[in-house]
Amino acid sequence: MACRRSPRCTRAVFSSSERDLLEQSYEMRAIIVLLDGIDEAADLKLLVEDFVTQRLVRMGVRLVVTSRPEGVRIALYERDFVIVSDDDRG
């Protein structure tokens, strides 16, 4: 379900108890957001990268981001992310 109508997506998607659980987990920093395949966001890739590196990181959201290295502006991630490549797996 797309959450374009409400600034708080959780109101549109989750029940009250689910929303409370998510908000409590967020406040406890017990949530990790996984963004898989940023390089596959097509025309939105630059917007998504900027949102991740400029908004979510500053908000303190714990993130795991995946992409092919040639598919993103790697310099955006070097300051705030630990970068691991397939070559690092041995």
Side-chain angles (χ1 to χ4, degrees), residues 35-50 52 64-74 77 86:
L35 299 170
D36 184 30
I38 290 230
D39 59 312
E40 298 173 12
D43 294 342
L44 297 175
K45 181 177 69 169
L46 298 178
L47 181 67
V48 170
E49 281 190 298
D50 290 340
V52 167
V64 174
V65 177
T66 70
S67 173
R68 285 170 276 220
E70 65 277 3
V72 293
R73 297 172 289 171
I74 200 78
Y77 299 91
D86 286 343

Side-chain angles (χ1 to χ4, degrees), residues 13-33:
V13 177
F14 299 103
S15 71
S16 177
S17 61
E18 291 169 331
R19 187 172 53 251
D20 290 345
L21 176 64
L22 286 171
E23 289 177 0
Q24 181 181 14
S25 297
Y26 174 77
E27 290 170 7
M28 294 173 56
R29 296 186 43 85
I31 288 180
I32 298 174
V33 176

